[in-house]
Amino acid sequence: MTLSSPLRGASVLVALCLLGSAVLLAAGPICAQGFLVKPMSMDLTLRPGESFSKDIQITSTTDTPSVLKTKLLLVTQASNGAWVQLDPTSPQVDRTQYRTCVDWITIGSPELKMGPLEAKALPLTIKVPPGGVRGSYLAMLSLESAPQTRPGGNIYTVIEFLISLRITIQGPVARERVSLTDLDLQWVAAKDKNPATTQVGVQIKNEGDTFGETGGRLTLLRKDGERWQRVLETKLTERGVMPGATIKVTEDLKRSLPSGHYRVNAAFQLSGRPKGVLEKEFDLVGDPAATGVATDVALTVPELITVEGNAGATRTVALAVKNSTEESVDAACLVEPVAQLMGVALGDITGDCFDCSGWVKASPPRLTLRGNSARNLALSVAFPALDLPQANYYATLRFVAAHPDGQTAGETRTLIWVKNLKVESVLQAQPVRMVFAQQEGNLYAVTAQFANVGNVHFVAPTAQASVVSPTGEAAAAVPLETDATTVLPLGTPQFSGVMDFSKVAPGSYFLVAVMKYGSKDVSYRLPIKVEAGPDGGKLVTALEVTATPAPATAPPGGSANAGS
């Protein structure tokens, strides 16, 4: 059984079984078919020998009794990047071959009997071994319902909640070795209902001890005479790569291209930090029916659309959409939930509490934009009549452009910000965690994560890491980089940089990360020890750390809950 993204929140699998055959269908990330489960995932930083306990909160939302079976699963990664779950009790599974923390975890009961509308807590305890562990370890907790027979007797449903567990060991030096190692480019002919397209193959190798959170951008260019013509630019899909894995994944460019000489430029990122550029050229055997290259057309729209009002009000704003190229395009105008708000939660506050996409209508729903022209678009916002609990709400305005022949011409997005004037905006952030890992010699990668626990977004956050002596003197410092530009409520921006310890004298220090946002700042401080290592290098270890600190304050209207 494969999982699409086990480390971005809980998955829910619903199995529909008919006469012994089964089909797996994806369902909602938090609540499905009569159960509410939280937290959705756990991402913990623990020391060797440390223990951590947490209750999994399970609530029945139906008026009938039910039973949930609990089971721990080993998680590994296939060569295509897909996550795979394995039963660690199976005799065919040699758990020593996998980087798993299954053996460290105990759960309170093999099954839970749930009464109608009953809420129960499932205790979970993690005991990290006292030695011989470093870096990142993975596991998954499965909560599976007993089969429920449907009318007719030969169809039943089984619901399985999958809660991801990731543990980062802080203390012993871990190695960070994640790299983009290869690219390829190929045209894929149409098949069944899938149109012809072009795909880029991306190979990523993790030879270190730490979990790799990868991303970046792909740019495709085509040789046109003596010049390179830019065809398109797209994001590299954000992926997690576990230690020891080498994966080869495909990025669908959603474009059928003619034969020709192309260049693929991949700007690779790790934890939001640029890790270099890999560039390759290809002689593509492409679409024999294609007569030209369908390039991206970047539309110019406001970076932020702001609307203010109160409950029950209706507001309309107009914005200009510009096409600065010579090519004509048709664009669908779509109002959608913001992706960053989906599947996130803090205490009783979930990301969809800030969603206003259902209140906003774009008119007209489609625009025809001739070359070097502009059109006006109206956004109508109908505030709900009831009192609104949040001060700020958000949606995405997405333009999907297409050439006259139907080929895609790229997408343009902007953020809609709806302000509720009856509730005060609170700008507030808290530290989440900080980890570091050795790269080469005296170079250590430092990663710090913070959380927006206020009820309004902030833009362009910056961060810096410093090595500070007990008397407050800075021994080293480095700016931390991020790809986060606008951080919405419940957002957790991550910053990363490489610190050089070559000039740091042996001794005890604090590793301090400070994020500046708006007119405020927030910091994380970690005690470390610097020792003389082999070959004149420096060995850096954490002196003390507890479980990953959770924000102590939730957005107004909710309460904080670690791990939610």
Side-chain angles (χ1 to χ4, degrees), residues 313-374:
T314 299
R315 298 286 186 269
T316 300
V317 297
L319 63 143
V321 183
K322 298 180 181 180
N323 175 10
S324 300
T325 72
E326 296 180 357
E327 301 184 56
S328 296
V329 293
D330 294 317
C333 313
L334 308 173
V335 178
E336 301 173 336
V338 182
Q340 297 95 308
L341 290 174
M342 298 298 98
V344 296
L346 176 62
D348 296 326
I349 300 296
T350 58
D352 55 11
C353 294
F354 297 92
D355 176 41
C356 65
S357 59
W359 317 347
V360 185
K361 182 179 180 180
S363 181
R366 301 190 70 89
L367 293 173
T368 297
L369 292 157
R370 302 186 186 280
N372 297 305
S373 69

Side-chain angles (χ1 to χ4, degrees), residues 27-81:
I30 303 175
C31 180
Q33 300 291 319
F35 292 99
L36 175 67
V37 177
K38 56 186 273 190
M40 298 177 286
S41 62
M42 292 188 189
D43 186 356
L44 305 172
T45 304
L46 304 174
R47 286 183 61 83
E50 185 175 359
S51 296
F52 174 85
S53 296
K54 172 75 176 176
D55 286 342
I56 307 298
Q57 303 294 332
I58 304 167
T59 304
S60 170
T61 59
T62 68
D63 56 3
T64 57
S66 53
V67 177
L68 281 176
K69 296 181 179 180
T70 64
K71 182 169 59 177
L72 288 167
L73 300 172
L74 184 151
V75 182
T76 186
Q77 198 165 18
S79 59
N80 64 355

Side-chain angles (χ1 to χ4, degrees), residues 414-425:
T414 189
L415 183 66
I416 302 170
W417 174 23
V418 177
K419 300 176 65 175
N420 174 18
L421 298 176
K422 290 290 187 180
V423 180
E424 180 184 1
S425 292

Side-chain angles (χ1 to χ4, degrees), residues 194-218:
N194 298 318
T197 189
T198 309
Q199 296 179 342
V200 175
V202 179
Q203 182 171 284
I204 303 171
K205 182 178 292 187
N206 187 347
E207 300 175 285
D209 304 313
T210 61
F211 188 82
E213 296 176 343
T214 67
R217 296 201 71 82
L218 278 176

Side-chain angles (χ1 to χ4, degrees), residues 524-540:
Y524 193 116
R525 192 170 77 160
L526 178 69
I528 62 171
K529 178 173 64 176
V530 179
E531 299 174 283
D535 302 322
K538 299 293 172 60
L539 185 65
V540 184

